[in-house]
């Protein structure tokens, strides 16, 4: 388990993130529901929500990844950009060009700005990272 000191050090090294106030309750509910089936994703989402700056959707800058945003990003060492839409878990369809919030990469994207990079540890201790290249648009 992570100590409070380790958690604080990790949080201070993470990029800041912004979450739309209008989406916060749904996101918190998803974290709670995921705790039964994907506890590591649930914990990651809860930690991200706890450190997020909340603001009205109308004030969220256009370069911030929100739910239903299409985002171009580089995942890990592949080096090639991927373009996917961040969606709520119930709306994810296989092969649909979407990435679910019920995935570690989906949680990592939430609230990030263009040009920012984030890394996290998997449940097996492997490090993963992604970099947001561009927010291509949002469905409200």
């Amino acid at each position: 388990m992570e100590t409070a000191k380790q958690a604080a050090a990790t949080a201070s090294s993470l990029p800041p993130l912004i979450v739309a106030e209008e989406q916060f309750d749904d996101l918190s509910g998803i974290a709670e529901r995921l705790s039964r089936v994907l506890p590591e994703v649930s914990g990651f989402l809860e930690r991200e929500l706890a450190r997020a700056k909340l603001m009205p959707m109308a004030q969220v800058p256009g370069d911030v990844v929100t739910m239903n945003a299409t985002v171009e990003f580089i995942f890990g060492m592949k080096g090639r950009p991927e373009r996917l839409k961040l969606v709520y878990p119930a709306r994810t369809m296989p092969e649909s060009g979407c990435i679910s919030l019920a995935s570690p990469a989906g949680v990592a994207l939430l609230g990030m700005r263009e040009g920012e990079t984030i890394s996290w540890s998997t449940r097996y201790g492997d490090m993963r990272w992604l970099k947001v290249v561009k927010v291509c648009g949002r469905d409200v």
Side-chain angles (χ1 to χ4, degrees), residues 59-74:
Q59 294 177 11
V60 174
D63 67 344
V64 172
V65 180
T66 61
M67 294 307 299
N68 302 310
T70 299
V71 59
E72 187 175 308
F73 63 98
I74 297 170

Side-chain angles (χ1 to χ4, degrees), residues 50-110:
R51 69 183 193 85
K53 176 181 178 184
L54 300 180
M55 65 176 49
M57 180 62 110
Q59 294 177 11
V60 174
D63 67 344
V64 172
V65 180
T66 61
M67 294 307 299
N68 302 310
T70 299
V71 59
E72 187 175 308
F73 63 98
I74 297 170
F75 181 71
M77 302 302 270
K78 290 182 181 178
R80 62 183 159 85
E82 298 193 41
R83 183 182 223 159
L84 298 171
K85 182 177 182 178
L86 180 60
V87 297
Y88 291 99
R91 298 192 181 117
T92 305
M93 300 298 291
E95 309 281 332
S96 66
C98 296
I99 185 165
S100 175
L101 185 68
S103 69
V107 173
L109 285 168
L110 181 67

Side-chain angles (χ1 to χ4, degrees), residues 8-138:
T10 301
S12 68
S13 66
L14 293 170
L17 59 106
I18 297 170
V19 171
E21 291 173 348
E22 297 87 340
Q23 297 176 345
F24 185 81
D25 287 341
D26 287 339
L27 296 169
S28 295
I30 289 166
E32 185 177 321
R33 287 188 299 279
L34 286 176
S35 68
R36 294 182 280 284
V37 290
L38 296 168
E40 67 281 351
V41 175
S42 171
F44 186 18
L45 180 55
E46 287 174 349
R47 287 188 301 276
E48 292 296 272
L49 292 174
R51 69 183 193 85
K53 176 181 178 184
L54 300 180
M55 65 176 49
M57 180 62 110
Q59 294 177 11
V60 174
D63 67 344
V64 172
V65 180
T66 61
M67 294 307 299
N68 302 310
T70 299
V71 59
E72 187 175 308
F73 63 98
I74 297 170
F75 181 71
M77 302 302 270
K78 290 182 181 178
R80 62 183 159 85
E82 298 193 41
R83 183 182 223 159
L84 298 171
K85 182 177 182 178
L86 180 60
V87 297
Y88 291 99
R91 298 192 181 117
T92 305
M93 300 298 291
E95 309 281 332
S96 66
C98 296
I99 185 165
S100 175
L101 185 68
S103 69
V107 173
L109 285 168
L110 181 67
M112 297 284 292
R113 292 186 96 135
E114 291 176 2
E116 291 181 333
T117 301
I118 187 170
S119 61
W120 67 96
S121 179
T122 68
R123 65 179 159 181
Y124 305 110
D126 300 326
M127 290 304 294
R128 300 284 187 257
W129 65 270
L130 62 77
K131 178 178 181 175
V132 175
V133 176
K134 181 169 182 55
V135 177
C136 305
R138 294 184 195 143

